[in-house]
Amino acid sequence: TLSGSIQVEATVTTGNPANEILEHVRENDIDLIVMGTHGRSGLRRYLTGSVAERVLRLAPVPVLTVRATEASAVGRGYSRILVPTDGSERAAAAVAHAVAIADIYGGTVHAVNVVNVGDVATGAEVGVPEKFLQELEASGSEATESVADEARSAGVDVRTEVLTGRPKHELLNYIGDHDIDLVVMGTHGRTGLDRVLLGSTAEALVRRAEVPLLTVSEGEA
């Protein structure tokens, strides 16, 4: 963990919670929003049409959501940081943040791509043409290597992996299997986050991951 004095400013306002949070962010040049969540069942309610959902969708800065779990304890630090990537600008938006955090804590960036073969079980090739699967895997390798190049340029350790299966399941398993401390994920930004966060891989990770999740929109890179 980092040492040193921290200045704290407390503010109490009246009004719609999400609107007040977003207004405070804009008026005070806030760089990062940190919000606690209720966990699986509570966060499902909390995300849908409520404070966290609105803040995540409209925030002009990165948002760190944290569940109260043993895995999210601050004392663990951020020595293993997962960056899911598909090679898009949306995914790339998160890389600089992940690398910066890893550099501060002396951590390792895990760049992971999941080849989404829909209903085909993880690791199975039944129903998927071999050539097509190879093309997807090659594209995934290219995406993870792009992240690796940025991490290495900053002197940060990095691991890359291309998996096959359903993205949310594979990423959640990867978090547990590799003792990940933090997930850093890109989104499409204000409009796209409606589509990206709700009912998608990012929403599933925010709702189910035991560790903190930092979402970064395309325009915040």
Side-chain angles (χ1 to χ4, degrees):
T1 58
L2 300 180
S3 59
S5 60
I6 299 176
Q7 182 178 354
V8 177
E9 296 182 6
T11 302
V12 178
T13 63
T14 302
N16 178 281
N19 290 345
E20 292 299 317
I21 291 170
L22 293 168
E23 185 66 21
H24 187 84
V25 168
R26 288 187 289 268
E27 291 182 349
N28 294 273
D29 294 325
I30 299 299
D31 300 310
L32 173 70
I33 300 172
V34 181
M35 299 186 72
T37 66
H38 292 300
R40 297 190 182 187
S41 59
L43 186 54
R44 187 187 298 274
R45 298 190 300 270
Y46 201 52
L47 274 174
T48 307
S50 64
V51 177
E53 182 272 337
R54 184 170 175 79
V55 171
L56 281 163
R57 179 164 51 86
L58 298 177
V61 298
V63 180
L64 179 67
T65 53
V66 184
R67 290 180 57 198
T69 68
E70 183 178 350
S72 68
V74 175
R76 291 170 55 92
Y78 298 120
S79 58
R80 291 167 291 276
I81 302 170
L82 171 61
V83 181
T85 181
D86 58 6
S88 66
E89 291 184 9
R90 166 186 59 82
V95 178
H97 293 267
V99 170
I101 295 169
D103 186 43
I104 291 172
Y105 286 94
T108 299
V109 168
H110 292 241
V112 176
N113 171 272
V114 181
V115 175
N116 187 357
V117 291
D119 294 330
V120 179
T122 301
E125 298 181 8
V126 178
V128 179
E130 183 177 353
K131 182 178 180 180
F132 179 59
L133 188 61
Q134 289 175 346
E135 290 176 353
L136 292 176
E137 291 173 343
S139 178
S141 294
E142 186 176 331
T144 58
E145 281 305 315
S146 177
V147 176
D149 287 343
E150 188 166 342
R152 294 186 189 111
S153 294
V156 169
D157 290 337
V158 61
R159 293 182 56 176
T160 64
E161 188 155 355
V162 177
L163 306 172
T164 303
R166 297 175 182 272
K168 64 182 179 182
H169 295 151
E170 294 301 320
L171 292 172
L172 286 168
N173 288 337
Y174 192 94
I175 290 169
D177 292 344
H178 295 81
D179 203 19
I180 295 297
D181 300 305
L182 174 70
V183 179
V184 183
M185 247 183 128
T187 70
H188 285 300
R190 297 189 181 190
T191 302
L193 189 53
D194 281 320
R195 301 188 300 273
V196 174
L197 182 63
L198 302 178
S200 70
T201 301
E203 186 269 348
L205 292 183
V206 171
R207 176 163 48 87
R208 297 178 58 189
E210 296 285 323
V211 299
L213 181 88
L214 179 66
T215 56
V216 183
S217 78
E218 218 169 290
E220 295 162 8

